Coordinates of all heavy atoms in Angstrom, one line a residue:
M1 N 92.9 -28.4 44.3 CA 93.1 -29.6 43.4 C 91.9 -30.6 43.6 O 91.6 -30.9 44.8 CB 94.4 -30.2 43.7 CG 94.6 -31.5 43.0 SD 96.0 -32.5 43.4 CE 97.3 -31.4 43.6
Q2 N 91.4 -31.1 42.6 CA 90.4 -32.1 42.7 C 91.0 -33.5 42.9 O 92.2 -33.7 42.6 CB 89.6 -32.2 41.3 CG 88.9 -30.9 41.0 CD 87.8 -30.6 42.0 OE1 87.1 -31.4 42.5 NE2 87.7 -29.3 42.3
W3 N 90.2 -34.4 43.4 CA 90.8 -35.8 43.8 C 91.3 -36.5 42.5 O 92.3 -37.2 42.6 CB 89.7 -36.6 44.5 CG 88.5 -36.9 43.7 CD1 87.4 -36.1 43.7 CD2 88.3 -38.0 42.9 NE1 86.4 -36.7 42.8 CE2 87.0 -37.9 42.3 CE3 89.0 -39.1 42.6 CZ2 86.4 -38.8 41.5 CZ3 88.5 -40.0 41.7 CH2 87.2 -39.9 41.2
F4 N 90.6 -36.3 41.4 CA 91.0 -37.0 40.2 C 92.4 -36.5 39.7 O 93.2 -37.2 39.1 CB 90.0 -37.0 39.1 CG 89.6 -35.7 38.6 CD1 90.2 -35.1 37.5 CD2 88.6 -35.0 39.2 CE1 89.9 -33.8 37.1 CE2 88.2 -33.7 38.7 CZ 88.9 -33.1 37.7
E5 N 92.6 -35.2 39.9 CA 93.9 -34.6 39.5 C 95.0 -35.2 40.4 O 96.1 -35.5 39.9 CB 93.9 -33.1 39.7 CG 93.0 -32.4 38.8 CD 92.8 -30.9 39.1 OE1 93.3 -30.5 40.2 OE2 92.3 -30.2 38.2
G6 N 94.7 -35.4 41.6 CA 95.7 -36.1 42.5 C 96.0 -37.5 42.1 O 97.2 -38.0 42.1
I7 N 95.0 -38.2 41.7 CA 95.2 -39.6 41.3 C 96.0 -39.6 40.0 O 96.9 -40.4 39.9 CB 93.8 -40.3 41.1 CG1 93.1 -40.5 42.4 CG2 93.9 -41.6 40.3 CD1 91.7 -41.0 42.3
I8 N 95.7 -38.7 39.1 CA 96.5 -38.7 37.8 C 97.9 -38.4 38.1 O 98.8 -39.0 37.5 CB 95.8 -37.7 36.8 CG1 94.5 -38.3 36.3 CG2 96.8 -37.4 35.6 CD1 93.7 -37.3 35.5
L9 N 98.2 -37.4 38.9 CA 99.6 -37.0 39.2 C 100.3 -38.1 40.0 O 101.4 -38.4 39.7 CB 99.6 -35.7 40.0 CG 99.2 -34.4 39.2 CD1 99.2 -33.2 40.1 CD2 100.1 -34.2 38.0
G10 N 99.6 -38.8 40.9 CA 100.1 -39.9 41.6 C 100.5 -41.1 40.7 O 101.5 -41.7 40.8
L11 N 99.6 -41.3 39.7 CA 99.9 -42.4 38.8 C 101.1 -42.1 37.9 O 102.0 -42.9 37.6 CB 98.7 -42.7 37.9 CG 97.6 -43.4 38.5 CD1 96.3 -43.4 37.6 CD2 98.0 -44.8 38.8
I12 N 101.2 -40.8 37.5 CA 102.4 -40.4 36.7 C 103.6 -40.5 37.5 O 104.6 -41.0 37.0 CB 102.2 -38.9 36.2 CG1 101.0 -38.9 35.1 CG2 103.5 -38.4 35.6 CD1 100.6 -37.5 34.7
Q13 N 103.6 -40.1 38.7 CA 104.8 -40.2 39.6 C 105.1 -41.7 39.8 O 106.3 -42.0 39.7 CB 104.4 -39.5 41.0 CG 105.5 -39.7 42.0 CD 106.7 -38.9 41.8 OE1 106.7 -37.9 41.0 NE2 107.7 -39.1 42.6
G14 N 104.2 -42.5 40.1 CA 104.5 -43.9 40.3 C 105.0 -44.7 39.1 O 105.9 -45.5 39.2
I15 N 104.4 -44.4 38.0 CA 104.8 -45.1 36.8 C 106.2 -44.7 36.3 O 107.0 -45.5 35.9 CB 103.8 -44.9 35.6 CG1 102.5 -45.6 36.0 CG2 104.3 -45.3 34.3 CD1 101.3 -45.2 35.1
T16 N 106.5 -43.4 36.5 CA 107.8 -42.9 36.0 C 108.9 -42.9 37.0 O 110.1 -42.6 36.7 CB 107.6 -41.4 35.4 OG1 107.2 -40.6 36.5 CG2 106.7 -41.4 34.3
E17 N 108.6 -43.3 38.2 CA 109.6 -43.3 39.3 C 110.8 -44.2 39.0 O 111.9 -43.9 39.3 CB 109.0 -43.6 40.6 CG 110.0 -43.5 41.8 CD 110.5 -42.1 42.0 OE1 109.7 -41.2 41.8 OE2 111.7 -42.0 42.4
F18 N 110.5 -45.4 38.4 CA 111.5 -46.4 38.2 C 112.2 -46.3 36.9 O 113.1 -47.0 36.6 CB 110.9 -47.8 38.4 CG 110.6 -48.1 39.8 CD1 109.3 -48.1 40.3 CD2 111.6 -48.4 40.7 CE1 109.0 -48.4 41.6 CE2 111.4 -48.7 42.0 CZ 110.1 -48.7 42.5
L19 N 111.8 -45.3 36.1 CA 112.4 -45.1 34.8 C 113.6 -44.2 35.0 O 113.6 -43.4 36.0 CB 111.5 -44.4 33.8 CG 110.2 -45.2 33.4 CD1 109.3 -44.3 32.6 CD2 110.6 -46.4 32.7
P20 N 114.7 -44.3 34.2 CA 115.9 -43.5 34.4 C 115.7 -42.1 33.9 O 116.6 -41.5 33.3 CB 116.9 -44.3 33.7 CG 116.2 -45.0 32.6 CD 114.9 -45.3 33.2
I21 N 114.5 -41.5 34.1 CA 114.3 -40.1 33.7 C 113.5 -39.5 34.9 O 113.0 -40.1 35.8 CB 113.4 -40.0 32.4 CG1 112.2 -41.0 32.5 CG2 114.2 -40.4 31.2 CD1 111.3 -40.9 31.3
S22 N 113.4 -38.2 34.9 CA 112.9 -37.4 36.0 C 111.4 -37.6 36.1 O 110.6 -37.1 35.3 CB 113.3 -36.0 35.9 OG 112.6 -35.2 36.9
S23 N 110.9 -38.2 37.2 CA 109.5 -38.2 37.5 C 109.0 -36.9 37.9 O 107.8 -36.5 37.6 CB 109.2 -39.3 38.5 OG 109.8 -39.0 39.7
S24 N 109.8 -36.1 38.4 CA 109.4 -34.7 38.8 C 109.1 -33.9 37.6 O 108.2 -33.1 37.6 CB 110.5 -34.0 39.6 OG 110.8 -34.7 40.8
G25 N 109.9 -34.1 36.5 CA 109.6 -33.4 35.3 C 108.3 -33.8 34.7 O 107.6 -32.9 34.1
H26 N 107.9 -35.1 34.8 CA 106.6 -35.5 34.3 C 105.5 -34.9 35.1 O 104.5 -34.5 34.5 CB 106.5 -37.0 34.3 CG 107.4 -37.7 33.3 ND1 108.6 -38.2 33.5 CD2 107.2 -37.8 31.9 CE1 109.1 -38.7 32.4 NE2 108.3 -38.5 31.4
V27 N 105.6 -34.8 36.4 CA 104.6 -34.2 37.2 C 104.5 -32.7 36.9 O 103.3 -32.2 36.7 CB 104.9 -34.4 38.7 CG1 104.0 -33.6 39.6 CG2 104.8 -35.9 39.0
W28 N 105.6 -32.1 36.7 CA 105.5 -30.6 36.4 C 104.8 -30.4 35.0 O 104.0 -29.6 34.9 CB 106.9 -30.1 36.3 CG 107.0 -28.6 36.0 CD1 106.9 -27.6 36.9 CD2 107.0 -28.0 34.7 NE1 106.9 -26.4 36.2 CE2 107.0 -26.6 34.9 CE3 107.1 -28.5 33.4 CZ2 107.0 -25.7 33.8 CZ3 107.2 -27.6 32.4 CH2 107.1 -26.2 32.6
L29 N 105.2 -31.3 34.1 CA 104.6 -31.1 32.7 C 103.1 -31.4 32.8 O 102.3 -30.7 32.2 CB 105.3 -32.1 31.8 CG 105.0 -32.0 30.3 CD1 105.4 -30.7 29.8 CD2 105.7 -33.1 29.6
A30 N 102.7 -32.5 33.5 CA 101.3 -32.8 33.6 C 100.5 -31.7 34.3 O 99.4 -31.4 33.9 CB 101.1 -34.1 34.4
E31 N 101.0 -31.1 35.4 CA 100.3 -30.1 36.1 C 100.1 -28.8 35.2 O 99.1 -28.1 35.3 CB 100.9 -29.7 37.4 CG 102.2 -29.0 37.4 CD 102.8 -28.7 38.7 OE1 103.0 -29.7 39.5 OE2 103.0 -27.5 39.0
H32 N 101.1 -28.5 34.3 CA 101.0 -27.3 33.5 C 100.2 -27.6 32.2 O 99.5 -26.7 31.7 CB 102.4 -26.8 33.2 CG 102.9 -26.1 34.4 ND1 103.6 -26.8 35.4 CD2 103.0 -24.8 34.8 CE1 104.0 -25.9 36.3 NE2 103.6 -24.7 36.0
V33 N 100.3 -28.8 31.7 CA 99.7 -29.1 30.4 C 98.2 -29.5 30.6 O 97.3 -29.0 30.0 CB 100.4 -30.1 29.6 CG1 99.7 -30.6 28.4 CG2 101.8 -29.6 29.2
L34 N 98.0 -30.5 31.5 CA 96.7 -31.0 31.8 C 95.8 -30.1 32.6 O 94.6 -30.0 32.3 CB 96.8 -32.4 32.4 CG 97.5 -33.5 31.6 CD1 97.6 -34.7 32.5 CD2 96.8 -33.7 30.3
F35 N 96.3 -29.5 33.6 CA 95.5 -28.8 34.6 C 95.7 -27.2 34.5 O 94.9 -26.5 35.1 CB 95.8 -29.2 36.0 CG 95.8 -30.7 36.2 CD1 96.8 -31.4 36.7 CD2 94.6 -31.4 35.8 CE1 96.8 -32.8 36.8 CE2 94.6 -32.8 35.9 CZ 95.7 -33.5 36.4
Q36 N 96.7 -26.8 33.8 CA 96.9 -25.3 33.6 C 97.0 -24.6 34.9 O 96.6 -23.4 35.0 CB 95.9 -24.7 32.7 CG 96.1 -25.0 31.2 CD 95.3 -26.1 30.7 OE1 94.2 -26.4 31.3 NE2 95.8 -26.8 29.7
Q37 N 97.4 -25.2 36.0 CA 97.6 -24.5 37.3 C 98.6 -25.3 38.1 O 98.8 -26.5 37.9 CB 96.2 -24.6 38.0 CG 95.7 -25.9 38.4 CD 94.4 -25.9 39.0 OE1 93.8 -24.8 39.2 NE2 93.8 -27.0 39.4
P38 N 99.4 -24.5 38.8 CA 100.4 -25.2 39.6 C 99.8 -26.0 40.8 O 98.8 -25.7 41.3 CB 101.2 -24.0 40.2 CG 100.3 -22.8 40.1 CD 99.4 -23.1 39.0
V39 N 100.5 -27.1 41.1 CA 100.1 -28.0 42.2 C 100.8 -27.5 43.5 O 101.9 -27.0 43.4 CB 100.4 -29.4 41.9 CG1 100.1 -30.3 43.0 CG2 99.7 -29.9 40.6
D40 N 100.1 -27.6 44.6 CA 100.6 -27.2 45.9 C 101.9 -28.0 46.1 O 102.0 -29.2 45.9 CB 99.6 -27.5 46.9 CG 100.0 -26.9 48.3 OD1 100.8 -25.9 48.3 OD2 99.6 -27.5 49.3
M41 N 102.9 -27.3 46.6 CA 104.2 -27.9 46.8 C 104.2 -29.0 47.9 O 104.9 -30.0 47.8 CB 105.2 -26.8 47.3 CG 106.7 -27.4 47.5 SD 107.4 -28.1 46.0 CE 107.7 -26.7 45.0
S42 N 103.3 -28.9 48.9 CA 103.2 -29.9 49.9 C 102.7 -31.2 49.3 O 103.1 -32.3 49.7 CB 102.2 -29.5 51.0 OG 100.9 -29.2 50.5
F43 N 101.8 -31.2 48.2 CA 101.4 -32.4 47.6 C 102.5 -33.0 46.8 O 102.6 -34.3 46.8 CB 100.2 -32.0 46.6 CG 99.7 -33.3 45.9 CD1 98.9 -34.2 46.6 CD2 100.0 -33.5 44.6 CE1 98.4 -35.3 45.9 CE2 99.5 -34.6 43.9 CZ 98.7 -35.5 44.6
I44 N 103.3 -32.2 46.2 CA 104.5 -32.8 45.4 C 105.5 -33.4 46.4 O 106.0 -34.5 46.2 CB 105.2 -31.7 44.6 CG1 104.2 -31.2 43.5 CG2 106.5 -32.2 44.0 CD1 104.7 -30.0 42.7
V45 N 105.7 -32.8 47.6 CA 106.6 -33.4 48.6 C 106.0 -34.7 49.1 O 106.7 -35.7 49.3 CB 106.8 -32.4 49.7 CG1 107.5 -33.1 50.9 CG2 107.6 -31.2 49.2
L46 N 104.7 -34.7 49.3 CA 104.0 -35.9 49.8 C 104.1 -37.1 48.7 O 104.4 -38.2 49.1 CB 102.5 -35.6 50.0 CG 101.7 -36.8 50.5 CD1 102.2 -37.3 51.9 CD2 100.2 -36.4 50.6
M47 N 104.0 -36.7 47.4 CA 104.2 -37.7 46.4 C 105.6 -38.3 46.4 O 105.8 -39.5 46.2 CB 103.9 -37.2 45.0 CG 102.4 -37.1 44.7 SD 102.1 -36.8 43.0 CE 103.2 -35.6 42.4
H48 N 106.6 -37.5 46.6 CA 108.0 -37.9 46.6 C 108.3 -38.8 47.9 O 109.0 -39.8 47.8 CB 109.0 -36.7 46.6 CG 109.1 -36.2 45.2 ND1 109.7 -36.9 44.2 CD2 108.8 -35.0 44.7 CE1 109.6 -36.1 43.1 NE2 109.1 -34.9 43.4
L49 N 107.7 -38.4 49.0 CA 107.8 -39.3 50.2 C 107.1 -40.6 50.0 O 107.7 -41.6 50.4 CB 107.2 -38.5 51.4 CG 108.0 -37.4 51.9 CD1 107.3 -36.6 53.1 CD2 109.4 -37.8 52.4
A50 N 106.0 -40.6 49.4 CA 105.3 -41.9 49.1 C 106.2 -42.7 48.1 O 106.2 -44.0 48.3 CB 103.9 -41.6 48.4
S51 N 106.8 -42.1 47.2 CA 107.7 -42.9 46.3 C 108.9 -43.4 47.0 O 109.3 -44.6 46.8 CB 108.2 -41.9 45.1 OG 107.2 -41.5 44.3
L52 N 109.5 -42.7 47.9 CA 110.6 -43.2 48.7 C 110.1 -44.3 49.6 O 110.8 -45.4 49.7 CB 111.1 -42.0 49.6 CG 112.2 -42.4 50.6 CD1 113.4 -42.9 49.9 CD2 112.5 -41.3 51.5
L53 N 109.0 -44.2 50.2 CA 108.4 -45.3 51.0 C 108.2 -46.6 50.1 O 108.5 -47.7 50.6 CB 107.1 -44.9 51.7 CG 106.5 -45.9 52.6 CD1 107.4 -46.3 53.7 CD2 105.1 -45.4 53.1
A54 N 107.7 -46.4 48.9 CA 107.5 -47.6 48.1 C 108.8 -48.2 47.7 O 108.9 -49.5 47.7 CB 106.7 -47.1 46.8
V55 N 109.8 -47.4 47.4 CA 111.1 -48.0 47.1 C 111.7 -48.7 48.3 O 112.3 -49.8 48.1 CB 112.1 -46.9 46.6 CG1 113.5 -47.4 46.5 CG2 111.6 -46.3 45.2
L56 N 111.6 -48.1 49.5 CA 112.1 -48.8 50.7 C 111.4 -50.1 50.9 O 112.0 -51.1 51.3 CB 112.0 -47.9 51.9 CG 112.9 -46.7 51.9 CD1 112.6 -45.8 53.1 CD2 114.4 -47.1 51.8
I57 N 110.1 -50.1 50.7 CA 109.4 -51.4 50.9 C 109.8 -52.4 49.9 O 110.0 -53.6 50.2 CB 107.8 -51.1 50.9 CG1 107.4 -50.3 52.2 CG2 107.0 -52.4 50.8 CD1 106.0 -49.8 52.1
F58 N 109.9 -52.0 48.6 CA 110.2 -52.9 47.5 C 111.6 -53.5 47.7 O 111.8 -54.7 47.4 CB 110.1 -52.1 46.2 CG 110.4 -53.0 45.0 CD1 109.4 -53.8 44.5 CD2 111.6 -52.9 44.3 CE1 109.6 -54.6 43.4 CE2 111.8 -53.7 43.2 CZ 110.9 -54.5 42.7
L59 N 112.6 -52.7 48.2 CA 113.9 -53.1 48.4 C 114.3 -53.5 49.8 O 115.5 -53.6 50.1 CB 114.9 -52.0 47.9 CG 114.8 -51.7 46.4 CD1 115.7 -50.5 46.0 CD2 115.1 -52.9 45.5
R60 N 113.3 -53.7 50.7 CA 113.6 -53.9 52.1 C 114.5 -55.1 52.4 O 115.4 -55.0 53.2 CB 112.3 -54.1 52.9 CG 111.5 -55.3 52.6 CD 110.2 -55.3 53.3 NE 109.4 -56.5 53.0 CZ 108.6 -56.7 51.9 NH1 108.6 -55.7 51.1 NH2 108.0 -57.8 51.7
K61 N 114.4 -56.2 51.7 CA 115.2 -57.4 51.9 C 116.7 -57.1 51.5 O 117.6 -57.4 52.3 CB 114.7 -58.6 51.1 CG 113.4 -59.1 51.6 CD 112.9 -60.3 50.8 CE 111.6 -60.7 51.3 NZ 111.0 -61.8 50.5
E62 N 116.9 -56.4 50.4 CA 118.2 -56.1 50.0 C 118.8 -55.1 51.0 O 120.0 -55.1 51.3 CB 118.2 -55.5 48.6 CG 117.9 -56.5 47.5 CD 116.5 -56.8 47.3 OE1 115.6 -56.2 48.0 OE2 116.1 -57.6 46.4
L63 N 118.0 -54.1 51.4 CA 118.6 -53.1 52.4 C 118.9 -53.7 53.7 O 120.0 -53.4 54.3 CB 117.5 -52.0 52.6 CG 117.3 -51.1 51.4 CD1 116.1 -50.1 51.6 CD2 118.6 -50.2 51.1
I64 N 118.1 -54.6 54.2 CA 118.4 -55.3 55.4 C 119.7 -56.1 55.3 O 120.5 -56.1 56.2 CB 117.2 -56.2 55.9 CG1 116.0 -55.3 56.3 CG2 117.6 -57.2 57.0 CD1 114.7 -56.1 56.5
H65 N 119.8 -56.9 54.2 CA 121.0 -57.6 53.9 C 122.3 -56.7 53.9 O 123.3 -57.1 54.4 CB 120.9 -58.5 52.7 CG 122.1 -59.3 52.3 ND1 122.5 -60.3 53.0 CD2 123.0 -59.1 51.3 CE1 123.6 -60.8 52.5 NE2 123.9 -60.1 51.4
L66 N 122.1 -55.6 53.2 CA 123.3 -54.7 53.1 C 123.7 -54.1 54.5 O 124.9 -54.1 54.8 CB 122.9 -53.5 52.2 CG 123.9 -52.5 51.9 CD1 125.1 -53.1 51.1 CD2 123.3 -51.3 51.1
I67 N 122.7 -53.8 55.3 CA 123.0 -53.2 56.6 C 123.6 -54.3 57.5 O 124.6 -54.1 58.2 CB 121.7 -52.7 57.3 CG1 121.3 -51.4 56.5 CG2 121.9 -52.4 58.7 CD1 119.9 -50.9 56.9
Q68 N 123.1 -55.6 57.4 CA 123.6 -56.7 58.2 C 125.1 -57.0 57.8 O 125.9 -57.2 58.6 CB 122.8 -57.9 58.1 CG 121.5 -57.8 58.8 CD 120.5 -59.0 58.6 OE1 120.7 -59.7 57.6 NE2 119.5 -59.1 59.4
S69 N 125.3 -57.0 56.5 CA 126.7 -57.3 56.0 C 127.7 -56.2 56.4 O 128.8 -56.4 56.6 CB 126.7 -57.5 54.5 OG 126.4 -56.3 53.8
F70 N 127.2 -55.0 56.5 CA 128.1 -53.9 56.9 C 128.5 -54.1 58.4 O 129.7 -53.9 58.7 CB 127.3 -52.5 56.8 CG 128.1 -51.3 57.3 CD1 129.2 -50.8 56.6 CD2 127.8 -50.8 58.5 CE1 129.9 -49.8 57.0 CE2 128.5 -49.7 59.0 CZ 129.6 -49.2 58.2
Y71 N 127.6 -54.5 59.2 CA 128.0 -54.7 60.6 C 128.8 -56.0 60.9 O 129.6 -56.1 61.8 CB 126.8 -54.7 61.5 CG 126.3 -53.3 61.7 CD1 125.1 -52.9 61.2 CD2 127.0 -52.4 62.5 CE1 124.6 -51.6 61.4 CE2 126.6 -51.1 62.7 CZ 125.4 -50.7 62.1 OH 124.9 -49.4 62.3
K72 N 128.7 -57.0 60.0 CA 129.4 -58.2 60.1 C 130.9 -58.0 59.7 O 131.8 -58.6 60.3 CB 128.9 -59.3 59.2 CG 127.6 -59.9 59.8 CD 127.0 -60.9 58.9 CE 125.7 -61.4 59.4 NZ 125.0 -62.4 58.5
V73 N 131.2 -57.1 58.8 CA 132.5 -56.8 58.4 C 133.3 -56.1 59.5 O 134.4 -56.3 59.7 CB 132.5 -56.0 57.1 CG1 133.9 -55.6 56.7 CG2 131.9 -56.9 55.9
G74 N 132.6 -55.1 60.1 CA 133.3 -54.2 61.1 C 133.5 -54.9 62.3 O 134.3 -55.1 63.1

C-alpha cells in the first residue's frame, strides 16, 4: 500500500466514523473501487483502534464524569 492510499482510507474512516452508517463499509468500498486491491487487515485494525482512541479523547470529560458518578452512587 502506498502512503497516499493510507491517507485516503484514513480520511474516509475518520469522516464517516461519527455518521450513523458503517465506516468499515466505506473503507471496504474504497479499497475495492479506488485501489482494486485488498488492504492488509492489520492496517484496518489500526484504523479502528485510532478511531476508538479519537472517540475516547473526544468524550474523555463525559467518560470521567460517568465513571465518577458510578462510584459515588455505590
Side-chain angles (χ1 to χ4, degrees):
M1 174 188 319
Q2 300 293 324
W3 63 271
F4 62 90
E5 292 173 349
I7 289 174
I8 291 171
L9 291 176
L11 285 172
I12 291 170
Q13 173 77 12
I15 291 169
T16 61
E17 185 62 36
F18 289 102
L19 298 175
I21 49 180
S22 174
S23 60
S24 298
H26 287 102
V27 170
W28 181 88
L29 189 62
E31 73 182 54
H32 285 83
V33 171
L34 296 177
F35 308 125
Q36 284 95 28
Q37 61 185 1
V39 175
D40 187 29
M41 184 59 73
S42 61
F43 181 76
I44 293 173
V45 171
L46 182 63
M47 281 196 317
H48 284 294
L49 288 174
S51 295
L52 175 62
L53 181 62
V55 169
L56 290 175
I57 290 171
F58 184 76
L59 298 174
R60 69 185 177 276
K61 292 179 183 176
E62 289 85 356
L63 291 171
I64 290 170
H65 178 68
L66 182 67
I67 292 169
Q68 287 174 343
S69 66
F70 177 75
Y71 284 111
K72 287 180 184 175
V73 173

